[in-house]
Amino acid sequence: MNIEQLYRQVIMDHYKNPKNKGFVADPNYVTIHLNNPSCGDEMTVQLKVEGNKITDIKHQGTGCSICCSSASVMSQTLKDQEVEKADQIIHEFYELIKGYPFNPDILKGDAIVYQGVSQFPARIKCATLAWKAAEMGLKKIKEDKSK
Ligand code: ZN
């Protein structure tokens, strides 16, 4: 198995058996819904932050394998992280997706399998949709806190 096949395998595993999938009707979660018209992806991400830590993430959506698997990877990567660190991780993920050098001390684990996406610009929005939703959710939490 070469590295590309391995990456594709990881993506398909998350697509078929997504982590943290679901929706909770709980006002303690911030809910962000985004769509990607160019591919037809729909994504809802929910975040729960307690203190300075993301204690739970849920995602639910329909779309292509890149989008849905990436939501699973995002939830796995950011759950139990501190908000500040999560923002750094999201930033490094965007660097990776664009094909730029990223910091492997910050961005670790399954997320790195998306580095091939940079060769397919049409899929970049698919890979980043759930991460954008998480980024917006964290921003909203910070804004609510400072009120
Ligand atoms: Zn897509």
Side-chain angles (χ1 to χ4, degrees), residues 36 39-41 63-64 66-67 123 126:
N36 170 22
C39 180
D41 303 319
C64 64
I66 297 281
C67 176
R123 310 313 296 276
C126 302

Side-chain angles (χ1 to χ4, degrees), residues 107-123:
L107 188 68
K108 298 176 202 172
D110 289 346
I112 65 158
V113 304
Y114 294 93
Q115 52 188 293
V117 171
S118 60
Q119 293 160 41
F120 307 96
R123 310 313 296 276

Side-chain angles (χ1 to χ4, degrees), residues 13-138:
D13 281 351
H14 276 280
Y15 182 57
K16 287 179 186 157
N17 301 300
K19 307 273 192 300
N20 306 304
K21 193 175 163 103
F23 184 89
V24 284
D26 181 338
N28 293 313
Y29 285 73
V30 164
T31 302
I32 302 286
H33 179 81
L34 287 180
N35 61 36
N36 170 22
S38 65
C39 180
D41 303 319
E42 296 265 348
M43 184 55 62
T44 301
V45 170
Q46 294 183 293
L47 297 169
K48 189 181 187 185
V49 170
E50 289 171 284
N52 200 30
K53 201 174 170 191
I54 302 170
T55 53
D56 198 19
I57 304 182
K58 296 275 179 224
H59 63 92
Q60 184 157 273
T62 53
C64 64
S65 57
I66 297 281
C67 176
C68 294
S69 65
S70 181
S72 172
V73 171
M74 178 279 291
S75 68
Q76 179 183 280
T77 307
L78 300 184
K79 194 173 168 177
D80 296 324
Q81 296 286 352
E82 292 193 345
V83 171
E84 201 125 306
K85 183 77 187 289
D87 276 332
Q88 290 175 6
I89 294 169
I90 292 168
H91 174 78
E92 292 299 325
F93 185 74
Y94 294 160
E95 297 292 290
L96 166 128
I97 285 291
K98 287 182 272 189
Y100 298 155
F102 64 98
N103 186 338
D105 292 328
I106 295 175
L107 188 68
K108 298 176 202 172
D110 289 346
I112 65 158
V113 304
Y114 294 93
Q115 52 188 293
V117 171
S118 60
Q119 293 160 41
F120 307 96
R123 310 313 296 276
I124 287 177
K125 280 186 182 163
C126 302
T128 55
L129 191 65
W131 297 73
K132 284 223 167 81
E135 184 185 22
M136 287 170 69
L138 291 175

